[in-house]
């Protein structure tokens, strides 16, 4: 009986480690996407040709939404990882 309990505990530990690893990979991807979104915002701010001020402002607003999404995703993943 004790051996069976130890086997189950090891199995759960392995599952937990696999889930934690998957979450960390997901977090790395979210951080990469956040960095890319911030770089794109910089590009939008620097680009000056062939658009009106309103178009630029809309592009900036849209990109800020993308950045907020990735910031929220990073926060969510960090909280989930802390629970493990």
């Amino acid at each position: 009986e004790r051996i069976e309990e130890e086997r189950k505990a090891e199995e759960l530990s392995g599952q937990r480690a696999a889930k934690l690893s998957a979450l960390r990979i997901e977090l790395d991807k979210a951080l990469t996407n956040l960095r890319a979104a911030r770089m794109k915002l910089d590009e939008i701010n620097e680009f000056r040709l062939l658009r009106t001020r309103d178009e630029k402002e809309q592009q900036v607003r849209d990109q800020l939404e993308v950045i907020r999404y990735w910031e929220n995703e990073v926060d969510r993943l960090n909280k989930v990882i802390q629970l493990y």
Side-chain angles (χ1 to χ4, degrees), residues 7-66:
R7 186 191 63 75
K8 286 181 182 180
E10 287 176 14
E11 185 178 308
L12 287 175
S13 178
Q15 290 172 352
R16 183 175 178 260
K19 178 65 175 174
L20 188 56
S21 177
L23 286 167
R24 286 188 174 138
I25 289 169
E26 199 175 335
L27 176 61
D28 286 342
K29 289 178 184 178
L31 286 167
T32 298
N33 287 332
L34 177 58
R35 281 188 217 96
R38 287 178 175 160
M39 288 176 14
K40 186 170 181 176
L41 178 62
D42 290 341
E43 291 171 11
I44 289 169
N45 280 321
E46 290 174 9
F47 182 69
R48 289 178 171 47
L49 302 174
L50 303 174
R51 65 181 173 176
T52 66
R53 182 172 158 226
D54 290 340
E55 289 172 327
K56 179 181 177 180
E57 288 174 359
Q58 184 60 49
Q59 287 176 334
V60 168
R61 280 192 299 273
D62 292 345
Q63 194 59 31
L64 286 171
E65 284 183 35
V66 172

Side-chain angles (χ1 to χ4, degrees), residues 27 30-31 34 38 64-80:
L27 176 61
L31 286 167
L34 177 58
R38 287 178 175 160
L64 286 171
E65 284 183 35
V66 172
I67 290 170
R68 275 188 224 94
Y69 170 81
W70 287 114
E71 287 173 339
N72 289 336
E73 187 66 7
V74 166
D75 288 343
R76 182 188 71 79
L77 288 166
N78 276 323
K79 288 175 185 173
V80 170

